[in-house]
Amino acid sequence: MHISTYSSADRAARAAATRVLECLGANPALVLGLPTGLTPVPLYRALVRAHQAGRADFSLATTFNLDEFLGLGRGDAGSYRTFMEAHLFAHVNLAPRRAHVLDGRAKDWRAEVEAYDARIRRAGGLDLVILGIGRNGHLGFNEPGPTLAARTHRVTLRATTRRANAGLFDGDWRRVPTHALSMGIGTILGAREVLLLATGRSKARIVARALRGPITTRVPASLLQVHPNVSVCLDREGASAL
Ligand code: PGA
């Protein structure tokens, strides 16, 4: 595991963006796993700037987002699909048919999660997955618990996770959906390369537990310790408990 600490959250995000651009340069048909949340916003900003400056061509790339709220999808204000359109998809030359986000409004969520896994398999799996980390150690919406699911599945969101997402719902956490669909931990760990971005004091404790503590499903991000190719980009605050 390669851990780098930067002087600011913006620098950490830009370093992560640089790694994405290196991978994309080496393999224009890159298959990327993508996160949502506040942490990756400056990373997406850096990717958009690179694209506008002619330094990033996404035309052959494929993306799979990690998760989506159940009941929400394209056009819904709080959906991760809408977040991705606003922060990345609308500003780069990704082919819309290759920019995948789980459809939380699918009539049959079981068929939706199976189709999502099949699409990831057909794409050859993830080359690079970019991850954030929840304050409870979740990856995607793989919440802490006695067990974790390997493949894409339906999850019940913890109250802490719903609170952390209140910003997408006018600050009212009770409006945050109670369930979501999430890529499983097996698919995430199956990525050939993992890039974890974690910034801010609120993440310091869980970063230390995930990277230095015992490997446990109670801290899903601790499973990254078994992956052979993980880079971690932190700011000073995020690294302050290591
Ligand atoms: P955040 O979310 O970037 O908004 O802190 C990270 C996560 O929950 O995975």
Side-chain angles (χ1 to χ4, degrees):
M1 187 176 286
H2 188 78
I3 303 173
S4 307
T5 304
Y6 299 88
S7 56
S8 69
D10 202 51
R11 291 224 164 125
R14 278 188 280 142
T18 299
R19 181 63 196 141
V20 177
L21 295 175
E22 279 169 10
C23 292
L24 189 63
N27 174 14
L30 195 70
V31 181
L32 268 170
L34 296 178
T36 47
L38 292 177
T39 313
V41 168
L43 184 156
Y44 291 139
R45 204 181 302 130
L47 293 181
V48 169
R49 268 200 308 262
H51 174 70
Q52 287 165 347
R55 292 188 290 110
D57 178 9
F58 291 89
S59 61
L60 297 177
T62 299
T63 64
F64 290 94
N65 263 80
L66 294 170
D67 43 21
E68 177 62 284
F69 294 111
L70 200 64
L72 299 185
R74 197 184 290 276
D76 291 324
S79 75
Y80 284 168
R81 160 65 76 175
T82 296
F83 175 98
M84 290 308 299
E85 295 289 347
H87 291 282
L88 186 70
F89 297 163
H91 312 291
V92 299
N93 62 337
L94 260 170
R97 71 178 186 288
R98 283 200 288 271
H100 304 282
V101 183
L102 282 152
D103 181 5
R105 280 200 315 224
K107 280 205 182 66
D108 179 352
W109 65 264
R110 284 188 181 80
E112 175 65 10
V113 299
E114 271 170 36
Y116 205 66
D117 282 337
R119 268 182 241 132
I120 295 172
R121 264 198 312 276
R122 268 203 304 278
L126 304 174
D127 292 311
L128 172 66
V129 64
I130 307 168
L131 300 172
I133 182 171
R135 286 167 67 166
N136 63 4
H138 71 200
L139 296 178
F141 274 144
N142 293 281
E143 298 280 43
T147 62
L148 292 169
R151 302 298 155 214
T152 306
H153 58 293
R154 179 182 190 264
V155 293
T156 304
L157 297 176
R158 295 291 183 90
T160 50
T161 298
R162 292 176 67 210
R163 284 205 172 85
N165 279 276
L168 291 171
F169 298 85
D170 300 324
D172 182 358
W173 74 274
R174 282 160 306 202
R175 284 179 47 207
V176 179
T178 52
H179 293 81
L181 301 177
S182 180
M183 201 184 274
I185 209 81
T187 305
I188 291 172
L189 292 177
R192 285 172 274 283
E193 180 172 342
V194 176
L195 189 54
L196 173 67
L197 178 63
T199 56
R201 190 157 301 281
S202 68
K203 299 290 172 68
R205 201 168 151 262
I206 197 65
V207 164
R209 284 181 69 198
L211 304 187
R212 303 277 194 240
I215 297 169
T216 165
T217 59
R218 305 280 176 192
V219 181
S222 69
L223 274 88
L224 294 176
Q225 292 181 43
V226 303
H227 192 284
N229 190 10
V230 180
S231 303
V232 184
C233 294
L234 306 171
D235 66 348
R236 280 207 197 104
E237 293 189 339
S240 59
L242 281 178

